[in-house]
Amino acid sequence: MEYTLKELMTIMAAREIQDGDIVFCGTGISMVAAMAAKHINAPNSIIFFETGAIDSRLEEIPMAVADPRVMFGAASNSGLLESFATMQNRISGDHVIGILGAAQVDKYGNLNSTCIGEYLHPQIRFSGSGGACDVASFVPRCLIFMQHEKRKFPVKLDYLTSPGYLDGAGARERAGLMPGGPTAVITNLGVMYFDDDTKEMYLAYYYPGVLSQTILENMEFSVDISRAKEAEPPAEQDLKILREIVDPYKLIL
Amino acid sequence: MDNNREKVMTLKDAIRTYVTDGCHISIGGFTVSRNPMAAVFEIMRQRKRNLHCYAHSNGTGVDELIGGGCISKVEIAYGGNGKAAPTCIRFKSAIQKREILFEDYSNYQMSLRFHAGAMGVPFIATRSGLGTDILKKWGFSEEMRATDPKLPDKKIEILDNPFNGWTGASKVVLVPAINPDITIIHVQKADKYGTCRIEGLNFADVDQVKASRHVIVTCEEIVDTNMLREKPEYNQIPFIHVSAVVHVPYGAYPYECCNYYDYDPKYLSQASKFAKDDRLYKEYLEKFVYGVKDHEELLSIVGKEQLERIAADKRTGYATGLDRR
């Protein structure tokens, strides 16, 4: 069965979500991935939002984390203090997986969503952290959505908004952060994981028809490709769920 | 802090009285939800200047204030609106053109800063942001902070855990309290004394209100005090924090107000097109903000039909099946 790139990326992300995970969601493809996981491989996962809505019913796709569609049928509608406390508090926080996006990611999974160029006088200004820095600081596992382009995978970030593994193994702990960090970077060409020892990014999956070399050509830094395998395409049933249940109006996909 | 008097005012009078040039302001809501837009447009019409704005993710409320030239300094976590509309274009452009001074924090840090202000403590601790540029890079210079009595001397500080690693933390980040001169929120229901009932998510509205010297509440309905007091546990804000109550139906339009109306995808996509071009944005302001005398007149341009389209469904609290493409 034919599928689009966005559908493939969604399914690749959904597969990283485990049953029982509390999934911190942003908007767009991250929300679709979390909804897909709930319908496909992690029926007992719980979706929650930085605005304070937890386990929302999500009959329609929210276009923002403050969309009234996240408020409908939620277990609780509270506020920002409560939602971030849920992640900072180790009792609940250890069960949270975050899904983030950014303008730049480096080889240790640190993210920039603030600016390109000098901070005070940037060439391009982005929205800023929002809750991304908080999530990346607190939770043990994070998924990152990126487009594979050289300038988006730089050797050095223009601004470090959200912490990954900082400058390598043990750096989070030295900085005083909680253990944890990004576990996967999902792009339009493949999926990267992080080495257990060095905390450096490596290529885990390339999509059908994509060469590892092409992926390397779209990054400023180099990564290990020796462990890379071809990604398994989405199953017909998975695509049906995406198209008929998760995003029938094609708002995101 | 205010006593048990009737506080109902017109929006024009409330803004004229409590929003002064150079004051420190915060507004309620979050991205596409419950921004006090009628109040924002009135601030723009009254050409208020040099406001110092505190925002977590206030979306287009803050973006319009920047576009209208009202804000000269902003402390902010996120200038955007999610996928609902690629807005906050004026925020980004104002930084790129060096028109405003800015300081970046995270959403939790900003929420905690309001919370510290509401609690009356100088700072509050979190474990967010260690190792990031949010700690290292300052938008406001040390000199500026040292000379402005309304700003703390430091953006942020790191402290070794004085309780010797208690709870497993070696270090914490300290963020300074915020006490705005004025906070404006839009709620579903308030009584004439200012007691509020917020439906749906409350974001950081309650702390923003409690941290603020003055508070304007705009509301969809002014309701009977007895009605609110039958279920006091559903009221988040007691009247003592509120300075003025203004009845403004559709006061969050073009944003949503849970159980009343949805965001207006048509207006938002139009507004973001205008915001991308300086000349078009001027035309937009002339037509939709300066060119109308009040919010009611803006709503009459939008038209009854469109307002009916975004009317909230009773079961879900939003406009079920609304065309949002």
Side-chain angles (χ1 to χ4, degrees), chain B residues 31-91:
Chain B
T31 60
V32 300
S33 182
R34 274 193 317 96
N35 277 231
M37 293 309 291
V40 162
F41 292 140
E42 183 57 30
I43 291 170
M44 294 164 75
R45 270 192 293 276
Q46 292 192 19
R47 314 270 173 169
K48 301 291 182 184
R49 289 294 177 264
N50 291 318
L51 303 181
H52 183 119
C53 179
Y54 301 102
H56 38 79
S57 300
N58 293 107
T60 296
V62 168
D63 205 51
E64 296 278 29
L65 287 174
I66 292 172
C70 306
I71 289 177
S72 60
K73 298 187 218 81
V74 63
E75 303 187 34
I76 191 166
Y78 181 77
N81 264 335
K83 291 275 169 195
T87 46
C88 291
I89 294 156
R90 306 311 302 181
F91 158 76

Side-chain angles (χ1 to χ4, degrees), chain A residues 7-177:
Chain A
E7 287 174 331
L8 175 59
M9 290 172 74
T10 304
I11 295 297
M12 293 307 286
R15 288 176 187 161
E16 301 291 331
I17 295 168
Q18 293 164 13
D19 206 18
D21 279 350
I22 303 175
V23 188
F24 170 92
C25 251
T27 47
I29 196 164
S30 78
M31 188 127 29
V32 181
M35 289 168 78
K38 211 169 155 63
H39 288 287
I40 298 168
N41 52 301
N44 298 306
S45 57
I46 295 157
I47 300 176
F48 99 112
F49 301 93
E50 64 184 296
T51 45
I54 183 155
D55 206 21
S56 317
R57 218 165 272 167
L58 299 179
E59 285 186 7
E60 294 186 10
I61 288 189
M63 298 298 269
V65 294
D67 193 306
R69 287 155 190 80
V70 310
M71 305 179 199
F72 172 61
S76 170
N77 278 332
S78 56
L80 278 70
L81 275 189
E82 290 87 346
S83 81
F84 289 113
T86 300
M87 292 184 274
Q88 187 172 234
N89 167 354
R90 297 286 26 95
I91 298 164
S92 44
D94 276 346
H95 302 279
V96 177
I97 180 168
I99 312 184
L100 302 171
Q104 291 182 322
V105 60
D106 69 12
K107 70 173 173 182
Y108 293 116
N110 303 302
L111 302 178
N112 172 14
S113 51
T114 303
C115 63
I116 297 293
E118 206 254 313
Y119 174 60
L120 285 175
H121 307 298
Q123 289 151 309
I124 308 170
R125 172 68 206 207
F126 305 116
S127 303
S129 162
C133 169
D134 308 309
V135 178
S137 296
F138 299 153
V139 309
R141 293 154 59 221
C142 261
L143 309 179
I144 302 164
F145 273 110
M146 291 295 300
Q147 286 293 313
H148 236 127
E149 287 172 42
K150 236 186 176 119
R151 62 194 175 110
K152 297 192 169 187
F153 287 73
V155 172
K156 190 172 174 4
L157 302 178
D158 290 52
Y159 184 100
L160 199 167
T161 314
S162 307
Y165 297 104
L166 299 177
D167 55 7
R172 280 182 74 98
E173 291 76 7
R174 281 194 296 278
L177 283 170

